[in-house]
Amino acid sequence: MNAVAVFEAAFDRAASGVPAAFTARHPSGGVLRFDPAVWCRDATAGDTALLDRCTGPTLDVGCGPGRLTGALIGAGRPALGIDISATAVRLARRRGAVALQRDVFDPVPGTGRWQHLLLADGNVGIGGDPYRLLRRCRRLLAADGQLHAEFAPPGTPAWSGTATVQAPGGTGGPLRWACVPLDGLPALAEATAMRVLDTWAEAGRWFATLALR
């Protein structure tokens, strides 16, 4: 089973209330745990401070079941979620979010005009190359736009490339992903011509806001 199929199955299970947590293991020894049940909630601790920074049109990259996109729309703020999972997009729309099945590296509506971008829930790892991802985010943002991203805790070993997904029932497959700790952000920002405006921690989660340099 490929990684996209694993995500599809996990979203379906989580939406039905069935445990759906899975892991991604990198050859370096790094392990990430994903729990779609958390993404299916209406809110997760730490979301509020992140959402409060999204004061204008926001693109939620890897929106999953639309927790954050739906919250922004519910607060009267324009937002669009994109995700490669058809199941995630269906669940996002069910909760009232505006969402498209789209890869962030493919053509995206509003390119170059978004005031805010979200990379929450570890989505800075999308594609397995955070440098490529942040360069893509630069092209999606307006000149005065901001990127709000969630990172692994400081001191976490960084890794990138192809990990192996292990899902319930023994299913799995390759997944291009990355783990980026907060203390790795300065080098990442420097290499992608971005600047760090703010960092903060809440409810065991670590975040940063970046802007174009």
Side-chain angles (χ1 to χ4, degrees), residues 69-139:
T69 309
L72 287 170
I73 290 175
R77 283 172 270 175
L80 171 68
I82 58 172
D83 203 288
I84 61 171
S85 164
T87 301
V89 169
R90 172 173 53 81
L91 293 172
R93 291 173 176 171
R94 181 187 297 173
R95 77 195 313 159
V98 180
L100 295 175
Q101 186 181 0
R102 194 69 54 90
D103 189 313
V104 66
F105 297 106
D106 289 339
V108 173
T111 294
R113 301 194 302 275
W114 291 102
Q115 288 296 316
H116 300 275
L117 255 68
L118 286 174
L119 287 173
D121 300 324
N123 282 339
V124 72
I126 286 173
D129 184 344
Y131 294 90
R132 178 182 179 229
L133 179 59
L134 260 64
R135 292 188 185 105
R136 174 58 172 156
C137 290
R138 281 184 55 85
R139 293 192 291 272

Side-chain angles (χ1 to χ4, degrees), residues 114-180:
W114 291 102
Q115 288 296 316
H116 300 275
L117 255 68
L118 286 174
L119 287 173
D121 300 324
N123 282 339
V124 72
I126 286 173
D129 184 344
Y131 294 90
R132 178 182 179 229
L133 179 59
L134 260 64
R135 292 188 185 105
R136 174 58 172 156
C137 290
R138 281 184 55 85
R139 293 192 291 272
L140 293 169
L141 280 168
D144 60 347
Q146 296 181 350
L147 168 65
H148 313 289
E150 183 172 355
F151 295 85
T156 303
W159 54 264
S160 61
T162 302
T164 300
V165 169
Q166 188 68 38
T171 58
L175 175 67
R176 297 284 301 174
W177 206 262
C179 177
V180 184

Side-chain angles (χ1 to χ4, degrees), residues 7-20:
F7 274 101
E8 295 280 4
F11 282 131
D12 266 332
R13 289 169 61 91
S16 301
V18 179

